[in-house]
Amino acid sequence: MRTPQALLATTAALAAAVVAPRTSAAAVPAPGTYYVQSATTGLNAAGTGGAVEQHRPRGDEDRQQWRLKAGGSSYLLENTDAPGTCLGRAGDLAATVACTSGDAAWEISATGADRYRLTVPGTARHLTVAPKPAGSTYPARLTLGGPDDLATWYLTPVDPATAPMPPQDRRTLDQVTFLTTHNAYANGVDGGFAPPFVNLVPNQTRGIERQLADGVRGFMLDIHQTRDGAILCHNSCALVSRPVALSADLQRMVDFLKAHPEAFVTVFLEDYVDPGVLRDELARVDGLSDVLYRPDLTGVRQNGWPTMAGLIAGNDRLLIFTDRSRVADQAAGLTRDSFGVMYQSEWTVENHWSMGPGVGSSDWSCYSRWYDANTNIPLTRTEPGFRPLFVMNHFRDVPVTGTAGTDNTKLADRARRFCQPAARKKPTFLAVDHYDRGNPGSAVAALNSYTYP
C-alpha cells in the first residue's frame, strides 16, 4: 500500500507548524536530511571546495546530503559532512557558507507535485542550474537566477518512508523488481556471440533456458543485421562461429511463458538492424503474438502501469524494448512500435551502463544513460499519471567473473543508497553480469518486499 496522501499532508503540516517559516508552511517538507536534486537534470547539489555544484548522485558520499532545519523565519540546509556549513550563496553563485551567515537562509515554496523553489529571502533570486550552452551539458556550478524550470528542485529524503508490498493481486508492474541479465546471449552455451578472444569472456555462463529456470525475467540482447536476419552478436557478427538468431532466443522465452503461465518477461534490444529486418525476425517466433504486451495500446501513459495480475490474466507477458529512436525509424518509413516493439526511452529511465573497468576502482554514482550534450532524460522523469520503469545497470566494461561476483554482493546496497534516491523510485530491472555469482537474487527479493512512494 502506498503511503496515504492524507498522512503525508498531516506530517508536513505538523512539521511546518513547529518551524513556522515565512513561506507557505504546509508546502515545505518536514525537517530532515535530503538530497537537493535538480528537476531538470536529476543531478544533486554537492559542496565542493566552497562552491556548490551539481554532481552525479553518490549517496552518502561527495557531500551531497543536506539537513533541512528552521533558521528563524526561513530555512537552512546544513551539509551533513561539514557541520556548521550550509548551502548558501556568494554573489550570484551558489556556495557553502557558515550557517550563521545571512547568505545561508532560504525561503522554500512548492511549485508543483513534490517540487520546490529555493529563494533568497525578500528577493526574486532563486537557486538554479545555469543555462545549458549549445553542444554541451549543463554547467556544474549552481547559480542564482529567475523563476524558470531550471530553478525547480526535488528535496529527496535520504531515508524515505516505505510501505509493504501490496498483495499479489494488487501490485503493479512498476512496483516489482526483476532480475535481469546483461548481454544474456553472451553465455558460451547457446552458441557463439563474438569474434575469437572476445568470445572467451562471456557476460553469463548459463544459457537462456537455464537463466529462465533460475528466475531471470529481464534479458539484454544485442542484435546485428546480416543476410540471415537479426543475429545476436557483440559489436560485430564477423568471424563469429555458431551465431544465434534473435528468433531462437525469443522462441525459448515464448515456450517458457507457455509452460509457466504466471511468468512475465522483458527483453531489451541493443538494436543495430533495420525495422523491416526486425519485423521479419519476430514473425519467425511461433506464438509471439499470443503473449506480446502492448502498453502503447492499453492507456498506460494516461493511467499508469497495470497490475501484474491483470497482465497475467490477459496473457500480456512479453514486453520488448528497443534502444533505437522513433525519429530515425520515421525517416525510414516504418516504426518498430507498429509491430509491438516499444521505444525504450519513451517508457523507461536507465542509469549509465558501466561502473568502470573490469578490475580496479569503480564508479557507483547513479545518473542517466541519456544525459549528454544532445539528450537530457533524467532518472527522475515523471509524467502526469505515468512513472517510467527504471532500469538499473550494475556491471562493468569487462565481465571479469570474480569482480562481477563481488559487485553482485553489493547490489542491494547500491540500489538503496545510490540509485533509488537518484531516480526517486525503485529499480524495476536489476541488470548484472554473471547473475549466478554473488546472489543478486537476494537484492531482488529485498526490493520486492516494499514499495517506494
Side-chain angles (χ1 to χ4, degrees), residues 223-238:
I223 52 173
H224 291 262
Q225 187 167 319
T226 74
R227 62 185 181 183
D228 296 317
I231 305 300
L232 296 162
C233 304
H234 189 65
N235 293 331
S236 169
C237 292

Side-chain angles (χ1 to χ4, degrees), residues 18-319:
V18 172
V19 297
R22 288 169 55 189
T23 54
S24 176
V28 180
T33 306
Y34 295 87
Y35 301 104
V36 180
Q37 189 172 19
S38 169
T40 300
T41 65
L43 304 182
N44 288 344
T48 174
V52 177
E53 299 177 345
Q54 56 170 351
H55 288 182
R56 299 168 180 174
R58 291 185 62 88
D60 54 357
E61 303 174 6
D62 193 38
R63 299 177 179 242
Q64 295 186 7
Q65 296 184 356
W66 306 89
R67 187 174 295 110
L68 176 67
K69 56 185 181 179
S73 59
S74 300
Y75 286 96
L76 300 175
L77 286 158
E78 182 181 33
N79 194 273
T80 59
D81 292 311
T85 301
C86 281
L87 190 159
R89 53 217 169 257
D92 288 331
L93 295 174
T96 51
V97 300
C99 294
T100 55
S101 167
D103 286 327
W106 299 97
E107 293 179 348
I108 300 178
S109 57
T111 64
D114 209 21
R115 298 185 181 199
Y116 301 92
R117 188 164 289 142
L118 279 65
T119 307
V120 178
T123 76
R125 301 165 71 220
H126 310 276
L127 181 69
T128 186
V129 174
K132 178 180 180 295
S136 66
T137 58
Y138 291 94
R141 184 78 183 258
L142 299 178
T143 184
L144 299 180
D148 57 17
D149 288 345
L150 295 177
T152 304
W153 301 89
Y154 294 111
L155 296 178
T156 301
V158 169
D159 294 308
T162 60
M165 181 69 89
Q168 290 280 355
D169 61 339
R170 290 171 50 198
R171 62 188 62 172
T172 56
L173 176 60
D174 57 322
Q175 292 176 322
V176 180
T177 300
F178 301 94
L179 180 59
T180 300
T181 43
H182 170 236
N183 287 351
Y185 66 96
N187 54 60
V189 175
D190 296 326
F193 60 88
F197 301 110
V198 177
N199 207 57
L200 298 176
V201 189
N203 296 87
Q204 311 297 335
T205 52
R206 296 175 177 176
I208 294 295
E209 291 178 346
R210 176 66 183 274
Q211 292 178 37
L212 286 161
D214 288 345
V216 175
R217 293 295 180 264
F219 300 85
M220 293 182 170
L221 308 174
D222 295 7
I223 52 173
H224 291 262
Q225 187 167 319
T226 74
R227 62 185 181 183
D228 296 317
I231 305 300
L232 296 162
C233 304
H234 189 65
N235 293 331
S236 169
C237 292
L239 304 179
V240 175
S241 62
R242 299 187 302 119
V244 178
L246 171 63
S247 56
D249 273 357
L250 289 181
Q251 190 67 64
R252 292 182 173 106
M253 297 174 196
V254 170
D255 291 345
F256 178 86
L257 290 172
K258 288 180 179 178
H260 300 82
E262 79 296 341
F264 184 91
V265 167
T266 304
V267 173
F268 299 89
L269 299 178
E270 186 174 319
D271 191 343
Y272 300 98
V273 307
D274 294 335
V277 172
L278 179 57
R279 179 188 57 191
D280 293 345
E281 188 72 23
L282 298 186
R284 298 188 177 108
V285 182
D286 183 47
L288 176 64
S289 61
D290 296 336
V291 294
L292 188 62
Y293 174 40
R294 296 288 303 269
D296 57 327
L297 302 181
T298 53
V300 169
R301 299 198 85 87
Q302 296 74 37
N303 305 313
W305 296 99
T307 64
M308 293 301 300
L311 291 169
I312 300 305
N315 207 29
D316 296 322
R317 299 190 292 125
L318 178 59
L319 177 57

